Amino acid sequence: MSLSKRIPIFLLRLLALGATVSATLVMITSHDSAQLFNMKFEAKYTNSPTFKYFVLMNAIASGYSLILLFLPSKSSYGHLILILDLVMALLLDSSISACLAIGQVGKNGNSHAGWLPICGQVPKFCDHVTGALVAGFVAAIVYFLILLYSLHNIMNLFFLKT
Amino acid sequence: MSLSKRIPIFLLRLLALGATVSATLVMITSHDSAQLFNMKFEAKYTNSPTFKYFVLMNAIASGYSLILLFLPSKSSYGHLILILDLVMALLLDSSISACLAIGQVGKNGNSHAGWLPICGQVPKFCDHVTGALVAGFVAAIVYFLILLYSLHNIMNLFFLKT
């Protein structure tokens, strides 16, 4: 791959690394507590399997993005990297959607199910989760762009040779 | 594209259509009610924005799968269809993940947030949601396979010409 094609991919991967590391750290450090009727109520990401899944997926994507930054570009890896990029995009997409669904219940509750909103009690926790979601969303968009750019390059090559 | 390459894609798209239509219908027909302290409690998919999102995404994917079944295969559409397949895979992935996160709370509750499980009260509703999730999961896997198969074909062509 030529240098002019490698630079955009490198920058996108750098952005993906920044976004996934931010999402992981902001979610891990989310913490707040509230006092209700002499009961101390603590909110942290380990309280929900969905938030743990979000941290795990973003940590995996961070590691993957870091490795890909330093991998020498050889066309023999091309197939595998495209498939792995696709899997990462799907995993990030999945973790954000799951987290957003739980976050929505945390913010608005669900009166039909009798689930009360909790963000009024633990606003700092909810702010952190929102921040992590924004970073995760940026990461997912960046992976989508990486896929589009890779596909564009592959198809251009193919059409030039036809 | 040769016929031997079109048949697997046609079968996968047929399977995707079946799975997305099933997911949509099973979710729409999910309904159960329970009597608690003289209060009637009704569970249906419209109670949750996440379930409504699931229905919308699966309905869109059903329509898309149906159109693609009857679209004549012209290589000029190739780029666009690959990108649209990718978008469908991401949307289905997102809808299942969100729905699974809410379903998990519905089944197990979340003691930290004070959200009680509801599946004990409305088991028929939960069974339907589980069924819809399984169908949605099949649809997402099929779209992933469609993507892999399309990429495989594109890259094979590319490598043959190099």
Side-chain angles (χ1 to χ4, degrees):
Chain A
M1 211 189 274
S2 67
L3 193 66
S4 66
K5 279 184 179 166
R6 290 206 60 203
I7 289 176
I9 284 282
F10 184 84
L11 290 178
L12 283 172
R13 292 208 183 277
L14 201 63
L15 192 57
L17 178 65
T20 48
V21 168
S22 307
T24 313
L25 292 181
V26 172
M27 183 60 96
I28 285 181
T29 55
S30 61
H31 187 271
D32 199 358
S33 57
Q35 196 89 22
L36 271 178
F37 312 119
N38 282 332
M39 291 256 293
K40 207 180 170 201
F41 167 72
E42 258 197 309
K44 48 186 191 286
Y45 84 96
T46 48
N47 286 359
S48 159
T50 306
F51 291 164
K52 285 196 260 185
Y53 174 67
F54 180 87
V55 168
L56 181 68
M57 288 307 123
N58 274 280
I60 289 174
S62 303
Y64 173 77
S65 306
L66 188 66
I67 292 169
L68 265 276
L69 272 182
F70 295 106
L71 203 73
S73 102
K74 282 184 187 171
S75 61
S76 59
Y77 294 140
H79 283 205
L80 184 64
I81 289 176
L82 187 62
I83 305 297
L84 287 177
D85 282 345
L86 174 62
V87 171
M88 283 300 143
L90 287 169
L91 290 180
L92 285 174
D93 183 41
S94 155
S95 74
I96 297 153
S97 306
C99 208
L100 201 62
I102 296 298
Q104 193 272 333
V105 176
K107 190 167 184 290
N108 303 320
N110 188 315
S111 56
H112 306 283
W115 299 336
L116 295 173
I118 57 158
C119 283
Q121 274 81 51
V122 283
K124 271 195 287 178
F125 177 70
C126 283
D127 288 347
H128 260 253
V129 171
T130 308
L133 271 171
V134 170
F137 195 71
V138 170
I141 296 281
V142 170
Y143 264 97
F144 184 67
L145 291 178
I146 290 174
L147 281 174
L148 285 190
Y149 191 75
S150 304
L151 288 176
H152 172 76
N153 283 342
I154 290 165
M155 287 180 162
N156 256 12
L157 283 168
F158 163 55
F159 274 90
L160 282 174
K161 306 215 178 227
T162 311
Chain B
M1 210 187 274
S2 68
L3 194 66
S4 66
K5 281 185 179 166
R6 289 207 61 201
I7 289 176
I9 284 282
F10 183 84
L11 291 178
L12 283 172
R13 291 205 184 278
L14 202 62
L15 192 56
L17 178 65
T20 49
V21 168
S22 307
T24 312
L25 292 181
V26 173
M27 183 59 96
I28 284 180
T29 55
S30 61
H31 187 271
D32 199 357
S33 57
Q35 197 90 20
L36 271 177
F37 311 117
N38 283 332
M39 290 255 295
K40 207 180 172 200
F41 166 73
E42 258 196 309
K44 48 186 189 289
Y45 84 95
T46 47
N47 286 358
S48 158
T50 307
F51 292 163
K52 283 196 263 186
Y53 173 68
F54 180 87
V55 168
L56 181 68
M57 288 307 123
N58 274 280
I60 289 174
S62 304
Y64 174 78
S65 307
L66 188 67
I67 291 168
L68 265 275
L69 271 182
F70 295 106
L71 203 72
S73 100
K74 282 185 188 171
S75 59
S76 59
Y77 295 139
H79 282 206
L80 183 65
I81 288 176
L82 187 62
I83 305 297
L84 286 177
D85 281 344
L86 174 61
V87 171
M88 282 302 143
L90 287 169
L91 290 180
L92 285 173
D93 182 42
S94 155
S95 74
I96 298 152
S97 306
C99 209
L100 201 62
I102 296 297
Q104 193 273 333
V105 176
K107 191 167 183 291
N108 303 319
N110 187 314
S111 57
H112 305 283
W115 298 337
L116 296 172
I118 57 158
C119 282
Q121 273 82 49
V122 283
K124 271 194 286 177
F125 176 70
C126 283
D127 288 348
H128 261 252
V129 171
T130 309
L133 271 172
V134 171
F137 195 70
V138 170
I141 296 282
V142 170
Y143 264 97
F144 184 67
L145 292 178
I146 290 175
L147 280 174
L148 285 189
Y149 191 74
S150 303
L151 288 176
H152 172 76
N153 283 342
I154 289 166
M155 288 181 161
N156 257 12
L157 285 168
F158 163 55
F159 274 90
L160 281 174
K161 306 214 176 225
T162 312

